[in-house]
Amino acid sequence: MAILVTGGLGYIGSHTVVELQKSGFEVVIVDDLSNSERFILENIEKVSGTAPVFYPFDLKRRELLSQLLDAHTIEGCINFAAYKAVGESQVIPLDYYENNLVTLINLLQEFKERNISNFIFSSSCTVYGQADHMPIDESAPLKAPESSYGKTKQMGEQILMDFAQAHEKKVSLLRYFNPIGAHPSALLGELPIGIPNNLVPYVTQTAAGIRESLSIFGSDYPTKDGTAVRDYIYVVDLARAHVAALQKLLSETEPTAVDIYNLGTGEGSSVLEIVKTFERANNVSVPYAITGRREGDITIAYADASKAEKELNWKASTPLDQALKTTWAWQQYLESRSANQ
Ligand code: NAD
Ligand code: WQD
């Protein structure tokens, strides 16, 4: 029996594979390497001591998925595979709908035919838009997302709820807040391709001198220091939540279940706090300039993650400065890797 991890060589997927292996699960990865690299597979083995089975194919190719499922007994799936760049999704929306939804439907069609249950979906706090109340719990109303990326997450959730009801399946929708950091070994982390969109990779590359200066998008928000506030969750804490969510699904005795959890720390940090904490934690400087707001950005979002704590016995525990230290160590690793190539 194995767990299928799609996008398992990606940022959150690779950390989750290691945590699954540590908990005794056998893992089969599918990843088309569209946003990852093969060395991540070797590094997973270096960290965990076990090589996961790996299939390099695009999940839009249902026939290849079908062959994989003929070859392995799969008892559940964690579906990370998706495109995730919010801005890009506005430029090439069809590619986002196709990649994020066709892959999901292919998986669910195969699972329906083979009667495989226990499906975990990577959703996002983006489904809440700008919530009216903080912290955000799972009952907060969903708002129409601005981006096509965000829409794929809302649609994915709806598809999974229908799948669970119609076919008596157990699913878990995990709404991540803002994942940051890298593995403590510095062998796994985020691989931003091109100019990073997300704050922490941009801060890291600025500290490293790859980018000249960080643009802080807006200092006129109604927040503690005028910059926007988010809930930054350490990626290994996030990975552990997947193992807990999977164990809960596997132990569920009812044939149908839809679990929904917010995964965050419960703490909001401003952009300036991230910059200052990064500088202090790593003893580096991050040149920055305040610029205008970024279109589509919300003011504030942080999670009420008490449902996950209660039902999954899970809590994010890594302090922000420690998470930001791992990001810097990962940056040093990437630089030494490229220097040796
Ligand atoms: P990532 O890009 O690092 O990982 C996704 C992986 O999926 C990549 O390795 C990519 O090569 C693979 N992939 C993409 N399309 C594929 C396809 N058609 N077939 C096979 N493999 C494919 O992204 P991540 O940050 O690890 O995010 C994982 C999931 O979590 C995504 O679904 C993302 O939308 C969601 N999520 C991410 C964040 C975040 O800020 N990182 C926040 C909320 C939700
Ligand atoms: C955080 C804050 C920016 C870059 C996005 C997606 C969301 C989820 C997580 C997947 C914001 C500010 C950023 C920079 C800045 N992903 N910032 N200068 O926007 O909260 O969420 O990633 O599901 O769906 O929308 O994260 O890291 O881009 O930005 O000032 O160069 O940092 O304005 O306030 P965001 P982020």
Side-chain angles (χ1 to χ4, degrees):
M1 294 282 241
I3 303 301
L4 178 64
V5 181
T6 77
L9 297 191
Y11 174 43
I12 307 167
S14 56
H15 290 83
T16 303
V17 167
V18 165
E19 295 305 311
L20 285 167
Q21 291 175 318
K22 270 169 54 182
S23 301
F25 289 100
E26 238 178 83
V27 175
V28 176
I29 295 176
V30 179
D31 196 305
D32 68 356
L33 298 162
S34 57
N35 200 31
S36 186
E37 292 186 37
R38 243 175 212 276
F39 79 87
I40 297 292
L41 183 65
E42 291 157 27
N43 286 8
I44 289 174
E45 185 176 358
K46 281 184 199 156
V47 172
S48 71
T50 312
V53 178
F54 173 54
Y55 287 88
F57 68 79
D58 181 341
L59 285 156
K60 292 194 283 300
R61 303 271 310 272
R62 184 169 160 191
E63 72 284 6
L64 298 180
L65 176 62
S66 189
Q67 284 167 22
L68 179 157
L69 294 170
D70 286 342
H72 298 272
T73 306
I74 298 294
E75 64 175 334
C77 173
I78 309 184
N79 183 32
F80 294 102
Y83 293 160
K84 63 164 179 177
V86 172
E88 185 184 62
S89 79
Q90 298 298 81
V91 182
I92 47 168
L94 296 182
D95 291 6
Y96 271 68
Y97 288 118
E98 183 179 34
N99 196 58
N100 295 2
L101 298 177
V102 172
T103 54
L104 175 64
I105 289 169
N106 281 349
L107 284 159
L108 298 183
Q109 290 281 22
E110 289 293 331
F111 278 31
K112 181 196 74 182
E113 280 178 17
R114 295 162 189 270
N115 197 21
I116 305 172
S117 194
N118 308 312
F119 195 96
I120 297 182
F121 179 65
S122 298
S123 189
S124 166
C125 64
T126 194
V127 299
Y128 297 115
Q130 179 57 71
D132 298 328
H133 304 287
M134 292 299 135
I136 305 171
D137 69 25
E138 291 80 359
S139 68
L142 305 191
K143 297 201 176 149
E146 298 235 351
S147 72
S148 300
Y149 165 74
K151 288 175 194 162
T152 69
K153 291 295 163 192
Q154 263 193 15
M155 289 175 192
E157 287 198 358
Q158 284 162 0
I159 289 167
L160 276 159
M161 287 190 230
D162 290 354
F163 167 76
Q165 293 305 333
H167 304 297
E168 297 198 321
K169 294 283 179 286
K170 296 180 282 178
V171 309
S172 194
L173 312 177
L174 303 183
R175 295 176 179 158
Y176 316 153
F177 281 66
N178 291 52
I180 59 161
H183 196 267
S185 63
L187 290 170
L188 305 172
E190 189 165 12
L191 286 173
I193 293 174
I195 302 172
N197 299 301
N198 295 117
L199 178 64
V200 171
Y202 206 106
V203 165
T204 310
Q205 291 196 0
T206 307
I210 301 168
R211 312 279 155 210
E212 219 172 281
S213 167
L214 167 77
S215 298
I216 294 187
F217 299 140
S219 62
D220 58 349
Y221 284 105
T223 59
K224 41 190 159 185
D225 59 21
T227 64
V229 167
R230 299 288 186 273
D231 184 338
Y232 296 92
I233 174 169
Y234 181 47
V235 67
V236 177
D237 288 340
L238 183 61
R240 287 192 299 105
H242 290 76
V243 178
L246 177 66
Q247 281 162 338
K248 174 158 187 289
L249 282 187
L250 292 170
S251 68
E252 206 98 59
T253 48
E254 293 295 319
T256 306
V258 178
D259 293 339
I260 303 180
Y261 297 109
N262 282 349
L263 300 178
T265 64
E267 295 283 326
S269 303
S270 74
V271 177
L272 268 174
E273 283 172 339
I274 292 293
V275 173
K276 296 295 165 201
T277 309
F278 189 96
E279 290 185 321
R280 249 193 332 268
N282 297 310
N283 202 18
V284 290
S285 96
V286 179
Y288 67 83
I290 308 278
T291 62
R293 293 183 178 190
R294 184 171 66 179
E295 208 191 312
D297 269 357
I298 56 168
T299 303
I300 184 164
Y302 58 92
D304 175 344
S306 54
K307 186 175 175 216
E309 184 175 357
K310 193 163 147 241
E311 295 186 11
L312 300 178
N313 195 22
W314 169 88
K315 196 173 171 10
S317 58
T318 307
L320 186 60
D321 60 344
Q322 204 175 311
L324 293 172
K325 274 187 189 175
T326 62
T327 312
W328 187 236
W330 168 245
Q331 178 65 29
Q332 313 302 305
Y333 170 77
L334 287 179
E335 284 175 23
S336 69
R337 234 189 135 258
S338 69
N340 292 331
Q341 272 179 349

